[in-house]
Amino acid sequence: KQIAIEEVTLHVGAGTFQPVKTRDIAEHHMHTEVISVQRSTIESLLKQLGNIIAVGTTSVRTLESLYYIGRQVQEGTGTGEGKENMELSVSQWEPYEYNEEVSTSDALQSLLDYMYENNLTTLHAETQIMIKPGYKFRVVNGMITNFHQPKSTLLLLVSAFVNGNWKDIYNYALENNFRFLSYGDSSLLFKET
């Protein structure tokens, strides 16, 4: 079918799978997770923007983190001494702190330029990104994922992706005896605008 496949790595932390036990999601703590992405993958993303389908919520979180890492590079806001030693890390609430719009292609191009300037073939960075309703997706347009349990950050991500219409999707799954959780049935979701 000529569908290009790229691989990304996210070393998942417990915060992703811990149930949300707080009344206010702002009090839920996401653990820091390490991501690794090849420079060639970022080049492919730039060429295919608008047609990116992530397989799994971890891939969504990794790909979406790239946008904010690109912004840090562009704006010089990463930590560390000098641009070549910049430590790139997306905080839990960073996506909700920006007021000024930067295009996805500009952010990813800044990241790619940074990698070339510093002779990096693999990006190693950290993320605590929390995707919840109200999040603006920058990279991912479609997602393949399982059906997730209530009170999870994964269900929050799905809810954000489908603009809050997750109940209809999950009711359909329940009415048709779909299997839930990690080894259950999958869904193909497209971003609602």
Side-chain angles (χ1 to χ4, degrees):
K1 305 261 181 199
Q2 299 181 346
I3 297 172
I5 297 173
E6 297 287 338
E7 292 184 5
V8 297
T9 301
L10 174 72
H11 297 282
V12 181
T16 299
F17 296 105
Q18 286 180 345
V20 177
K21 297 177 182 175
T22 61
R23 277 189 142 348
D24 184 353
I25 190 61
E27 296 172 12
H28 181 79
H29 177 71
M30 293 291 286
H31 293 94
T32 301
E33 302 169 323
V34 176
I35 65 173
S36 298
V37 179
Q38 298 297 312
R39 184 170 63 199
S40 60
T41 299
I42 297 169
E43 290 170 335
S44 294
L45 290 171
L46 271 165
K47 291 177 189 169
Q48 296 297 323
L49 280 178
N51 296 307
I52 308 297
I53 298 176
V55 179
T57 55
T58 53
S59 296
V60 172
R61 293 179 55 247
T62 301
L63 294 171
E64 290 295 317
S65 293
L66 293 177
Y67 171 82
Y68 296 98
I69 294 168
R71 285 198 66 163
Q72 289 176 9
V73 167
Q74 189 177 56
E75 298 167 10
T77 57
T79 60
E81 293 282 327
K83 195 170 182 179
E84 67 280 352
N85 295 318
M86 200 180 301
E87 292 181 26
L88 302 168
S89 180
V90 180
S91 68
Q92 182 167 331
W93 301 114
E94 185 173 338
Y96 308 94
E97 296 170 359
Y98 288 101
N99 294 325
E100 191 175 317
E101 187 70 25
V102 171
S103 74
T104 303
S105 58
D106 285 350
L108 292 180
Q109 187 62 56
S110 293
L111 180 54
L112 189 58
D113 293 345
Y114 170 82
M115 292 180 74
Y116 272 108
E117 289 166 12
N118 292 286
N119 201 28
L120 300 173
T121 57
T122 305
L123 172 74
H124 298 286
E126 296 179 339
T127 188
Q128 287 181 295
I129 195 169
M130 167 69 88
I131 298 177
K132 65 175 188 65
Y135 177 85
K136 182 176 180 180
F137 287 86
R138 306 294 183 156
V139 179
V140 177
N141 307 94
M143 169 179 27
I144 298 172
T145 188
N146 299 92
F147 291 93
H148 304 289
Q149 63 189 351
K151 297 183 180 182
S152 70
T153 62
L154 305 175
L155 187 55
L156 285 172
L157 185 153
V158 169
S159 180
F161 198 74
V162 296
N163 205 22
N165 294 321
W166 67 273
K167 287 182 182 179
D168 293 338
I169 297 166
Y170 276 57
N171 281 335
Y172 181 87
L174 287 168
E175 290 165 6
N176 289 280
N177 297 316
F178 286 19
R179 292 168 297 152
F180 277 56
L181 307 178
S182 294
Y183 296 103
D185 292 307
S186 289
S187 59
L188 171 61
L189 305 172
F190 291 99
K191 183 171 65 173
E192 291 212 6
T193 54

